[in-house]
Amino acid sequence: GQNIDQPTEMTATEGAIVQINCTYQTSGFNGLFWYQQHAGEAPTFLSYNVLDGLEEKGRFSSFLSRSKGYSYLLLKELQMKDSASYLCAVSDSNYQLIWGAGTKLIIKP
Amino acid sequence: IAGITQAPTSQILAAGRRMTLRCTQDMRHNAMYWYRQDLGLGLRLIHYSNTAGTTGKGEVPDGYSVSRANTDDFPLTLASAVPSQTSVYFCASSENTGTYNEQFFGPGTRLTVL
């Protein structure tokens, strides 16, 4: 079967750094996406990795290791507005996105 | 309009009733998707359409049907609603299928079946 694992919930302090991990087992791999979803809103795109390594985009970075079936999203200089759920999704052999359940990130002042 | 719109925003429905959730996009994207999102579970694909005139079944298609008569519209129909279909439904679109198929989401429809 196909499986995406993420921690259910994480807590961090404003101004700090947090790393959200995602491990996956899928039938095929055509890239990994990270989305942000604020409570009651739609998911919005954050990042995409298809090759191994780190992709940096402002305060957010995403890392991929295809051999380990592993990715992480790194958020720096945390702000209160970063309180949201972060969804990991893998594009499988049919280019369909398989979604993790999401990690709820709570930012404390 | 810009992006994807969904209607209604929310709905309370009696079990056994028929319901159509509407989705319209103005980005001329080829592919469209319907997901449901339930607490503690990831987004689950109900149906998809890679291009106008074609549709396919996702992970949880039972009890739902879709049509794709044109590029812009992708309605989802519940023929006879049941309480287990209580969920938040998201419509999404992507320019194409294939590598880098970033999906854009509508605001969602919150459906309660009693």
Side-chain angles (χ1 to χ4, degrees):
Chain A
Q2 308 203 92
N3 196 50
I4 311 285
D5 284 319
Q6 313 177 227
T8 302
E9 186 175 296
M10 299 181 70
T11 302
T13 304
E14 189 177 15
I17 300 173
V18 69
Q19 177 176 311
I20 302 174
N21 296 326
C22 171
T23 58
Y24 62 89
Q25 290 178 305
T26 56
S27 58
F29 180 84
N30 284 299
L32 186 144
F33 292 82
W34 284 96
Y35 279 75
Q36 181 189 58
Q37 185 177 25
H38 286 100
E41 298 183 6
T44 55
F45 171 80
L46 283 178
S47 68
Y48 172 75
N49 295 69
V50 67
L51 299 176
D52 290 352
L54 188 68
E55 294 280 344
E56 296 186 80
K57 189 186 295 185
R59 294 189 298 114
F60 292 6
S61 303
S62 55
F63 171 83
L64 175 67
S65 169
R66 289 172 295 171
S67 63
K68 296 182 178 178
Y70 168 71
S71 173
Y72 68 73
L73 181 69
L74 191 71
L75 292 74
K76 303 175 186 176
E77 302 170 13
L78 286 170
Q79 303 175 9
M80 297 304 292
K81 68 179 181 180
D82 297 329
S83 293
S85 289
Y86 292 86
L87 315 181
C88 174
V90 172
S91 180
D92 71 6
S93 57
N94 295 315
Y95 300 102
Q96 297 292 354
L97 292 189
I98 309 301
W99 296 82
T103 299
K104 182 178 181 180
L105 178 63
I106 299 168
I107 310 295
K108 294 187 175 181
Chain B
I1 57 173
I4 301 180
T5 59
Q6 293 184 236
T9 301
S10 64
Q11 181 76 44
I12 299 173
L13 190 66
R17 297 297 295 269
R18 180 184 179 88
M19 176 75 192
T20 295
L21 307 185
R22 299 184 297 279
C23 174
T24 299
Q25 54 106 356
D26 67 353
M27 297 177 284
R28 308 304 294 172
H29 283 174
N30 286 311
M32 297 187 74
Y33 313 86
W34 274 106
Y35 291 96
R36 59 178 290 173
Q37 186 175 41
D38 302 290
L39 197 63
L41 300 176
L43 289 161
R44 291 184 291 169
L45 183 65
I46 304 170
H47 285 286
Y48 65 93
S49 169
N50 287 337
T51 189
T54 70
T55 63
K57 293 182 180 181
E59 179 187 356
V60 289
D62 294 344
Y64 306 94
S65 63
V66 292
S67 61
R68 186 90 183 275
N70 56 60
T71 298
D72 298 344
D73 300 300
F74 191 44
L76 175 74
T77 297
L78 289 68
S80 179
V82 295
S84 62
Q85 292 178 313
T86 293
S87 187
V88 179
Y89 291 85
F90 286 103
C91 179
S93 72
S94 62
E95 187 171 358
N96 287 297
T97 56
T99 305
Y100 194 68
N101 52 337
E102 177 189 346
Q103 294 184 11
F104 297 81
F105 285 80
T109 293
R110 184 174 296 274
L111 182 67
T112 302
V113 182
L114 301 176

